[in-house]
Amino acid sequence: MTVTIYDVAREAGVSMATVSRVVNNNPNVKPQTRKKVFEAIERLGYRPNAVARGLASKKTTTVGVVIPDISNAIFAEVARGIEDIANMYHYNIILCNADKKKDKEIRVINTLLEKQVDGLLFMGGTVTEEHSQAFKTANVPIVLCATTDENGEIPSVDIDHEAAAFDAVQVLIKQGHTSIGMISGTLQDPANGYARFQGYKRALQTAGISYDEELVRIGNYRYESGVDAMKYFLELPKRPTAVFSATDEMAIGAIHCIQDFGLKVPEDISVISVDNSRMASMVRPQLTAVAQPMYDIGAVSMRLLTKLMKKETVEHAKVVLPHEIVTRQSVGDK
Amino acid sequence: MTVTIYDVAREAGVSMATVSRVVNNNPNVKPQTRKKVFEAIERLGYRPNAVARGLASKKTTTVGVVIPDISNAIFAEVARGIEDIANMYHYNIILCNADKKKDKEIRVINTLLEKQVDGLLFMGGTVTEEHSQAFKTANVPIVLCATTDENGEIPSVDIDHEAAAFDAVQVLIKQGHTSIGMISGTLQDPANGYARFQGYKRALQTAGISYDEELVRIGNYRYESGVDAMKYFLELPKRPTAVFSATDEMAIGAIHCIQDFGLKVPEDISVISVDNSRMASMVRPQLTAVAQPMYDIGAVSMRLLTKLMKKETVEHAKVVLPHEIVTRQSVGDK
DNA sequence: CTGTTAGCGCTTTCAA
DNA sequence: TTGAAAGCGCTAACAG
């Protein structure tokens, strides 16, 4: 039924070892022999069995990717960066959605490890003690992607979320705004939630603006929650003149909410966010945002993982990618 | 270093076979023995090696997924449907982007087959003879996802793209429009391109409207190409009063182009599309669209694949999922 | 209910 | 430059 390396060996009149060498591009094979083997392979339609190879060589050329939700544009972009680089280095990726749920994350990490992945890319919610524990029992390298661990022991690739938020709010402040609302993610989320909120507070503080908790609403990163948060702000007796959103999608919700209310962006209210997904230029007015290089985060973390898997020494196991402000049309003077 | 089933057997004072039974939930094990084994597993921190298991059992509980581009929202949604169901049936997925490029597709199909996936989900451009050939040499089931093959030999899950387009254009016609532009995908793309274009033409014909090739522009599914196409229409001496776009994203580009031009949607020009991605409700006016159930296409195709992998007999190997019109605000009277 | 024993298809010394 | 042979860690008859 299935053609094995042994069949090829017999057909070509050589040993299994020789066929193996040919298949693996080992130079120690006489060209003539190589040719014979290739012909036999062709004739028999031989297809190497990667599972058997994996068992014998203890390498699967497969890496595991734990992702919150592939249907989220932001993560999908990271995934694409990962896959492109993986592909370049001849790795395949096993993708697992874990929805930032700790239990699910731990479960898939173990499954992935059972499948003998050569490395693991983890993109999730908080990295708890339990996560670290699971990582420790893996004897393959792990890279955190778009997250970091508190104690900074695990290699990671991310942006500085706090600074990104700080910079975004600074843009608003520079335009003269002093009443600045924030649509935040859950504070349980260390990167997209908590850190960005901290950046917001620090920017306010630096500018000598007092923090008003009435001006902070927690959303769930989705469009609708941006709409809801904005609705709340608009009904405030003294509503903010600018809003900082933790994500593009909520920002777009906010913009539409403002427009539906009969006000204009940025004339009446300015809006800025962090992300700069493709959607940012797909709204009117186009969204000014701090760009988070999602594709690069994926690509760089995969590249880092390849180095780790090859046991190359890496100087910077904690890489912080730069973010930048992309000025479009949603921010104006106070 | 690594603890194997043999180590567990020794530790528990039983044979490998018994450990294997315990690990695989085989009922033929005395509860007491089972307990002993579990304790040994716990004590040693044993983690079954899925690669060895795969080699011995000839099953990897892994399926391959060939996808055009995971960073495209539409496909990401399908992927999520696939993964959710895969997960439910204890399969993992190896994800490969192939950008609808034939060579790349063939290449990843072979890699996936080498990795001994238990089944394959193919989402791509055209299914050529070469594809069929590659599928034939696989001795695992294949399901086409959001595509179909011409001769209809391969199981598949998709919507009726021609009918979806027909229905969309009908909506416009019913509102009295007779001058209807189309922003199409490339006609090389059988499903999203050609079929939708055919549906457009048939709707026109059915309504007795003559086809005018000036009113058809080919885009690349992206926002910008929607803008460009619409710009072209707006400059026409006699511009259309309604536009049918093959995808949401191009439709949104068209809407913004119309608005930037100083006209209103739907008062001046109506816009409808096929997709109904989350973005459809993230524009003003919200987009009326024919909904393509992407998540379901993924879920159903994965479900179908599980049946095929279990060698269950399936009555309908060609499933056509229903589409529906989601009326929002972008379509009005002529 | 449990153990013995062949493999699964390949890589990798080691020797020639 | 090539071959022989010993595993890799597990499953799956088969026997008891």
Side-chain angles (χ1 to χ4, degrees):
Chain A
M1 185 80 219
T2 51
V3 181
T4 74
I5 199 173
Y6 182 75
D7 300 321
V8 176
R10 194 158 24 73
E11 174 82 11
V14 299
S15 72
M16 287 167 54
T18 300
V19 178
S20 175
R21 288 191 188 97
V22 171
V23 170
N24 292 296
N25 273 314
N26 184 318
N28 296 339
V29 179
K30 215 195 318 178
Q32 205 186 100
T33 314
R34 184 182 302 277
K35 185 153 168 287
K36 269 197 310 190
V37 173
F38 272 133
E39 284 167 0
I41 287 177
E42 185 69 21
R43 225 173 304 136
L44 266 37
Y46 169 68
R47 172 179 292 148
N49 180 327
V51 172
R53 175 182 294 173
L55 183 59
S57 69
K58 294 174 168 302
K59 280 193 191 58
T60 55
T61 59
T62 304
V63 308
V65 176
V66 180
I67 201 169
D69 176 12
I70 192 64
S71 70
N72 178 315
I74 299 294
F75 298 123
E77 189 71 24
V78 180
R80 179 71 209 219
I82 293 173
E83 222 267 326
D84 280 357
I85 305 302
N87 204 346
M88 199 171 291
Y89 287 89
H90 304 292
Y91 283 98
N92 288 108
I93 65 172
I94 299 186
L95 213 269
C96 298
N97 293 300
D99 299 303
K100 294 194 181 181
K101 306 258 177 64
K102 185 176 130 185
D103 291 359
K104 211 168 170 187
E105 285 172 353
I106 303 289
R107 196 163 0 110
V108 301
I109 288 169
N110 282 315
T111 307
L112 257 8
L113 259 19
E114 286 186 5
K115 296 224 169 176
Q116 311 298 119
V117 293
D118 294 338
L120 204 56
L121 243 28
F122 182 81
M123 218 177 316
T126 315
V127 177
T128 68
E129 189 47 48
E130 212 168 323
H131 287 82
S132 302
Q133 213 50 48
F135 292 156
K136 230 159 268 170
T137 68
N139 14 30
V140 295
I142 317 269
V143 171
L144 303 179
C145 183
T147 0
T148 344
D149 55 328
E150 294 239 318
N151 20 11
E153 288 169 346
I154 310 169
S156 66
V157 178
D158 202 358
I159 63 163
D160 183 336
H161 293 278
E162 199 268 354
F166 180 87
D167 291 352
V169 177
Q170 280 266 296
V171 169
L172 266 14
I173 291 171
K174 280 199 190 119
Q175 298 286 327
H177 295 281
T178 52
S179 173
I180 300 173
M182 170 167 188
I183 306 177
S184 173
T186 165
L187 268 22
Q188 266 56 264
D189 185 337
N192 301 320
Y194 187 74
R196 292 184 188 179
F197 173 60
Q198 290 302 318
Y200 163 76
K201 284 214 295 194
R202 182 163 63 90
L204 255 38
Q205 193 174 17
T206 305
I209 302 171
S210 64
Y211 168 69
D212 177 358
E213 68 175 271
E214 273 292 281
L215 291 182
V216 176
R217 301 302 289 170
I218 307 293
N220 63 1
Y221 307 123
R222 297 301 212 180
Y223 179 84
E224 290 72 22
S225 73
V227 174
D228 294 345
M230 195 64 224
K231 201 172 288 169
Y232 176 87
F233 288 147
L234 290 173
E235 286 164 356
L236 243 33
K238 148 178 136 15
R239 62 173 171 244
T241 61
V243 170
F244 163 54
S245 166
T247 69
D248 279 4
E249 212 179 301
M250 294 193 294
I252 295 175
I255 288 176
H256 286 152
C257 179
I258 294 168
Q259 292 169 338
D260 291 350
F261 192 78
L263 297 179
K264 300 189 89 173
V265 177
E267 290 80 353
D268 298 308
I269 300 183
S270 289
V271 177
I272 195 168
S273 70
V274 178
D275 267 359
N276 193 44
S277 56
R278 279 174 9 93
M279 272 184 307
S281 39
M282 289 167 59
V283 225
R284 293 305 143 96
Q286 292 182 35
L287 187 61
T288 291
V290 172
Q292 208 184 173
M294 300 316 295
Y295 182 92
D296 294 349
I297 290 180
V300 171
S301 57
M302 183 64 216
R303 179 64 184 108
L304 175 55
L305 188 60
T306 63
K307 288 183 186 164
L308 261 17
M309 291 188 296
K310 279 185 202 140
K311 305 202 187 313
E312 292 178 21
T313 49
V314 302
E315 11 16 304
H316 302 297
K318 285 272 164 199
V319 1
V320 176
L321 259 24
H323 55 268
E324 59 170 338
I325 297 165
V326 178
T327 305
R328 280 190 279 252
Q329 309 143 355
S330 65
V331 172
D333 297 342
K334 180 188 165 185
Chain B
M1 182 81 220
T2 51
V3 346
T4 73
I5 199 172
Y6 183 75
D7 300 321
V8 177
R10 193 156 27 73
E11 174 82 10
V14 298
S15 73
M16 286 167 56
T18 300
V19 178
S20 174
R21 287 190 188 97
V22 171
V23 171
N24 293 295
N25 271 314
N26 184 318
N28 296 340
V29 180
K30 213 195 317 180
Q32 204 187 104
T33 314
R34 183 182 304 278
K35 184 154 169 287
K36 269 197 308 189
V37 172
F38 272 132
E39 284 167 1
I41 287 177
E42 186 68 22
R43 224 172 307 137
L44 266 37
Y46 168 67
R47 172 178 292 150
N49 180 327
V51 171
R53 175 182 292 173
L55 182 58
S57 69
K58 295 175 166 302
K59 280 191 192 59
T60 55
T61 60
T62 304
V63 308
V65 176
V66 180
I67 201 168
D69 175 13
I70 192 63
S71 70
N72 178 315
I74 299 294
F75 298 123
E77 189 71 25
V78 180
R80 178 72 208 218
I82 293 173
E83 222 268 324
D84 279 357
I85 304 303
N87 205 345
M88 198 171 293
Y89 287 89
H90 304 293
Y91 284 98
N92 289 109
I93 65 171
I94 299 185
L95 214 269
C96 298
N97 293 300
D99 298 304
K100 294 195 180 181
K101 305 258 176 65
K102 186 176 131 186
D103 290 358
K104 211 167 170 189
E105 285 172 353
I106 302 289
R107 197 165 357 112
V108 301
I109 288 170
N110 282 316
T111 307
L112 257 8
L113 260 18
E114 285 185 5
K115 297 224 169 175
Q116 310 301 117
V117 293
D118 293 338
L120 204 55
L121 243 29
F122 182 81
M123 219 176 316
T126 316
V127 177
T128 67
E129 188 47 49
E130 212 169 321
H131 287 82
S132 303
Q133 213 51 47
F135 292 155
K136 230 159 265 168
T137 69
N139 14 31
V140 295
I142 318 269
V143 171
L144 304 179
C145 183
T147 0
T148 344
D149 55 327
E150 295 240 316
N151 20 10
E153 288 169 345
I154 310 169
S156 66
V157 178
D158 203 358
I159 62 163
D160 183 337
H161 294 277
E162 198 270 353
F166 179 86
D167 291 352
V169 178
Q170 280 266 296
V171 169
L172 265 15
I173 291 172
K174 281 200 188 116
Q175 298 285 329
H177 294 281
T178 51
S179 174
I180 302 173
M182 170 167 189
I183 307 177
S184 172
T186 165
L187 269 23
Q188 265 57 266
D189 185 339
N192 301 320
Y194 187 75
R196 293 184 185 178
F197 174 61
Q198 290 301 317
Y200 164 77
K201 284 214 295 194
R202 182 163 65 89
L204 255 38
Q205 193 175 18
T206 306
I209 301 171
S210 64
Y211 168 69
D212 176 359
E213 68 174 271
E214 272 292 279
L215 291 181
V216 176
R217 301 302 290 171
I218 306 293
N220 63 1
Y221 306 123
R222 296 302 212 180
Y223 179 85
E224 290 73 21
S225 72
V227 174
D228 293 346
M230 195 65 224
K231 201 171 289 170
Y232 176 88
F233 289 147
L234 290 171
E235 285 164 357
L236 244 33
K238 150 179 138 10
R239 61 173 171 245
T241 62
V243 170
F244 163 56
S245 165
T247 69
D248 280 4
E249 211 179 302
M250 294 193 295
I252 296 175
I255 288 176
H256 286 153
C257 180
I258 293 167
Q259 293 169 338
D260 291 349
F261 193 77
L263 297 178
K264 300 189 87 174
V265 177
E267 291 80 353
D268 298 307
I269 299 183
S270 290
V271 176
I272 195 169
S273 71
V274 178
D275 266 359
N276 193 44
S277 56
R278 280 174 10 92
M279 270 184 308
S281 40
M282 290 167 57
V283 224
R284 293 305 141 95
Q286 293 183 34
L287 186 62
T288 291
V290 171
Q292 208 184 172
M294 301 316 295
Y295 181 90
D296 295 350
I297 289 179
V300 170
S301 57
M302 184 63 216
R303 179 64 185 109
L304 175 56
L305 188 60
T306 62
K307 288 183 185 164
L308 261 16
M309 290 188 295
K310 279 185 201 139
K311 304 201 187 314
E312 292 178 21
T313 49
V314 303
E315 9 19 301
H316 302 297
K318 284 274 165 198
V319 1
V320 177
L321 259 24
H323 55 267
E324 58 171 338
I325 296 164
V326 178
T327 305
R328 280 190 279 252
Q329 309 143 354
S330 65
V331 173
D333 298 343
K334 180 189 164 183

